[in-house]
C-alpha cells in the first residue's frame, strides 16, 4: 500500500493531518483522550472533531483549543517532560524527532543553541497535542509499514504575526524545516504551512515527488483547515491499493584491497545503518594477482550521497562506480504478527509476506524474533524455526 500526503492546494498543519487521519479511519475518541492528556503538562487543551464541508469537499476538522498555556521552559526541560508522558514508546520516539526538527530550525533562525531555545519557540500546548495526535494516528493506521509519499507543499504568502513580530510567509522556521523538500508560494495571501505540520510531514514521508506516481486509489481522507478560502481548504491523504511496481535504485561499487576482515565487517554494518538497502562483499583477484574484495551496495537514489560519503570515509577509496536508474520489480509486501505457544509461554512472531497479483509467494518469519525466542526459551534456533512454520 502506498500513502500519498497531498498539501499542494492548502498547505499543511498538525490539526489538518489529524483530521485527515480520522477521515481515513483513526479513532477520534482515542485521539481526543491522548491529545488532551499529553498536552496537560504544558497547558490544558480541549480537542473536538466535527465533519465539515469546505467548498464542496466533505472533510474532518480537528479543533484544538488552548485553554491554558503554562510558562515557557527551555528545550531540555521540554524534552524531559515529553519523555515522561504515558504514551507508546514508538509514538514518543517519533514525536521527539518531530520536536527536534522544529527546535533545530528555530535555534538556527534565532541564533541560539538547543540548550537555550525556549519552549514557546518550539511550540505551545496545542503544538504538543498536534504532534502527539498526528503520530499516534499514523501508527494506529499502521502507516509505518507503508510507503508514504509527500507532494509539494503550498506555503501561502504575505505576512503573519508571531511572538517575534510580523514575519514573511513562509515563516523562516518553515523554510528551514522544509530544506530538501519542495514548496510553492500561494495560492492565497495567508500562512498555509505551519512549522508543526511541516516537521511532521518531513518525519513521516519516505519520499517526496513532484506528482502522484502510478497508483490505484483505494480511498481518500480530507483534513479541514480552520480558515475559509474561495477553494477547498483541506489536506488530502490518498491510500492506494497494492500493485506490482518498479523501484529506481543505484548500484554502488568499489574494489578494496587494504582493509582487514574486522574493518570490512565494520564497514558492512555501517553501510546498513546508513540506510543501504543491501550490502555484499565478494572475494576477487585484482591486478598484479592481488587478493581483494568487491564491495557492492544497493541504495535508494535519495540516499546515494550519504552512502558514497560513508564509503569514501571508511575505505579511503579513490574511485567509486555508480550504475544509476537500475529498476527492480517489487512484490507487494506486508508484515503480520502471529502468536505461538512454546514451552508454555506465548511469543509474537512477525512474518514478512510477499504477494504477486494477490497470491502469496513467500512468508518468512523475522530472524530477530526467532533469535529472541531461542534465547529466552533456551531451545535451538532450528527448533524454533520448525515450531513457527
Amino acid at each position: 500500500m502506498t500513502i500519498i500526503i497531498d498539501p499542494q492546494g492548502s498547505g499543511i498543519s498538525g490539526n489538518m493531518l489529524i483530521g485527515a487521519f480520522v477521515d481515513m479511519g483513526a479513532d477520534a475518541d482515542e485521539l481526543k483522550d491522548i491529545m488532551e492528556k499529553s498536552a496537560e503538562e504544558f497547558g490544558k487543551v480541549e480537542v473536538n472533531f466535527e465533519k465539515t464541508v469546505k467548498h464542496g469537499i466533505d472533510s474532518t476538522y480537528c479543533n484544538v483549543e488552548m485553554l491554558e498555556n503554562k510558562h515557557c521552559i527551555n528545550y531540555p526541560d521540554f524534552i524531559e517532560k515529553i519523555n515522561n508522558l504515558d504514551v507508546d514508546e514508538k509514538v514518543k520516539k517519533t514525536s521527539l524527532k518531530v520536536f527536534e526538527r522544529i527546535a533545530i530550525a528555530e535555534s538556527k533562525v534565532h541564533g541560539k543553541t538547543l540548550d537555550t531555545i525556549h519552549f514557546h519557540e518550539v511550540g505551545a500546548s496545542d503544538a504538543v497535542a498536534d504532534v502527539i495526535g498526528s503520530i499516534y494516528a499514523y501508527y494506529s493506521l499502521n502507516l509505518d509499514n507503508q510507503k508514504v509519499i509527500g507532494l509539494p507543499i503550498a506555503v501561502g504568502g504575505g505576512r503573519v504575526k508571531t511572538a517575534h513580530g510580523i514575519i514573511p510567509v513562509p515563516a523562516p522556521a518553515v523554510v528551514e524545516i522544509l530544506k530538501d523538500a519542495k514548496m510553492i508560494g500561494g495560492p492565497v495571501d495567508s500562512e498555509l504551512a505551519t512549522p508543526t505540520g511541516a516537521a511532521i510531514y518531513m518525519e513521516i514521508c519516505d519520499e517526496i515527488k513532484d506528482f502522484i506516481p502510478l497508483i490505484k486509489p483505494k480511498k481518500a481522507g480530507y483534513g479541514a483547515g480552520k480558515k475559509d478560502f474561495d477553494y477547498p481548504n483541506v489536506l488530502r491523504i490518498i491510500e492506494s491499493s497494492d500493485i506490482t511496481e518498479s523501484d529506481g535504485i543505484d548500484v554502488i561499487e568499489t574494489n578494496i584491497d587494504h582493509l582487514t576482515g574486522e574493518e570490512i565487517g565494520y564497514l558492512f554494518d555501517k553501510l546498513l545503518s546508513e540506510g543501504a538497502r543491501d550490502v555484499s562483499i565478494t572475494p576477487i583477484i585484482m591486478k598484479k594477482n592481488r587478493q581483494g574484495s568487491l564491495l557492492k551496495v544497493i541504495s535508494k537514489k535519495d540516499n546515494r550521497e550519504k552512502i558514497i560519503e560513508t564509503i569514501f570515509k571508511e575505505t579511503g577509496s579513490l574511485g567509486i562506480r555508480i550504475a544509476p536508474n537500475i529498476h527492480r520489480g517489487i512484490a507487494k509486501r506486508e508484515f503480520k504478527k502471529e502468536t505461538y505457544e512454546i514451552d508454555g509461554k506465548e511469543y509474537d512472531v512477525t512474518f514478512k509476506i510477499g504477494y504477486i497479483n494477490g497470491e502469496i509467494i513467500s512468508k518468512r518469519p523475522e530472524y530477530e524474533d526467532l533469535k529472541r525466542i531461542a534465547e529466552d526459551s533456551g531451545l535451538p534456533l532450528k527448533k524454533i524455526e520448525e515450531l513457527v512454520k
Side-chain angles (χ1 to χ4, degrees), residues 298-316:
I298 296 176
S299 170
K300 288 280 193 179
K301 293 183 68 176
D302 57 5
N303 201 39
R304 175 203 297 168
E305 295 306 318
K306 182 188 289 186
I307 295 297
I308 292 173
E309 182 181 355
T310 299
I311 294 173
F312 273 128
K313 286 182 177 179
E314 297 295 339
T315 69

Side-chain angles (χ1 to χ4, degrees), residues 2 9 31 66 71 136 165 205 266 286 310 327 329 332 370 386:
T2 299
L31 282 169
M66 191 163 57
H71 296 298
Y136 184 90
C205 285
Y266 173 81
M286 301 173 61
T310 299
H327 288 78
K332 171 205 164 183
L370 301 184
E386 294 173 0

Side-chain angles (χ1 to χ4, degrees), residues 224-237:
K226 183 176 183 180
K227 301 172 184 176
D228 289 312
F229 304 125
D230 58 359
Y231 66 93
N233 181 20
V234 296
L235 172 74
R236 178 170 63 174
I237 296 181

Side-chain angles (χ1 to χ4, degrees), residues 152-354:
I153 297 178
V155 295
R159 296 176 177 85
V160 64
K161 187 175 182 181
T162 73
H164 302 283
I166 297 176
I167 60 176
V169 172
V174 170
V175 175
E176 287 295 324
I177 292 168
L178 292 180
K179 280 185 175 178
D180 298 323
K182 296 178 181 180
M183 63 182 187
I184 185 170
V188 291
D189 184 354
S190 180
E191 181 183 37
L192 296 183
T194 67
T196 301
I200 298 168
Y201 167 94
M202 291 298 288
E203 186 60 39
I204 65 176
C205 285
D206 299 307
E207 189 176 354
I208 296 171
K209 290 183 174 289
D210 290 328
F211 306 105
I212 296 175
L214 178 64
I215 61 171
K216 291 181 179 178
K218 186 176 179 181
K219 65 179 178 180
Y222 296 88
K226 183 176 183 180
K227 301 172 184 176
D228 289 312
F229 304 125
D230 58 359
Y231 66 93
N233 181 20
V234 296
L235 172 74
R236 178 170 63 174
I237 296 181
I238 302 170
E239 176 188 315
S240 75
S241 59
D242 297 300
I243 58 176
T244 301
E245 56 186 82
S246 294
D247 190 22
I249 58 170
D250 287 332
V251 176
I252 303 168
E253 295 181 349
T254 190
N255 294 346
I256 302 170
D257 66 353
H258 59 286
L259 297 184
T260 66
E262 291 83 358
E263 290 168 336
I264 290 176
Y266 173 81
L267 174 63
F268 186 97
D269 293 337
K270 177 72 172 178
L271 289 168
L272 288 175
S273 71
E274 292 292 350
R277 308 294 288 183
D278 196 10
V279 180
S280 64
I281 299 173
T282 307
I284 59 174
I285 300 296
M286 301 173 61
K287 62 184 179 182
K288 298 182 181 179
N289 294 322
R290 296 198 314 271
Q291 288 187 333
S293 300
L294 171 63
L295 171 68
K296 182 179 288 187
V297 182
I298 296 176
S299 170
K300 288 280 193 179
K301 293 183 68 176
D302 57 5
N303 201 39
R304 175 203 297 168
E305 295 306 318
K306 182 188 289 186
I307 295 297
I308 292 173
E309 182 181 355
T310 299
I311 294 173
F312 273 128
K313 286 182 177 179
E314 297 295 339
T315 69
S317 173
L318 301 178
I320 294 174
R321 301 179 294 276
I322 304 170
N325 300 320
I326 292 176
H327 288 78
R328 55 178 178 172
I330 297 181
K332 171 205 164 183
R333 288 163 289 180
E334 68 177 6
F335 295 87
K336 286 188 177 180
K337 282 188 177 179
E338 296 184 11
T339 302
Y340 291 84
E341 184 174 322
I342 300 174
D343 278 1
K345 186 174 180 179
E346 289 190 345
Y347 296 95
D348 288 334
V349 179
T350 301
F351 286 83
K352 181 189 286 186
I353 305 174

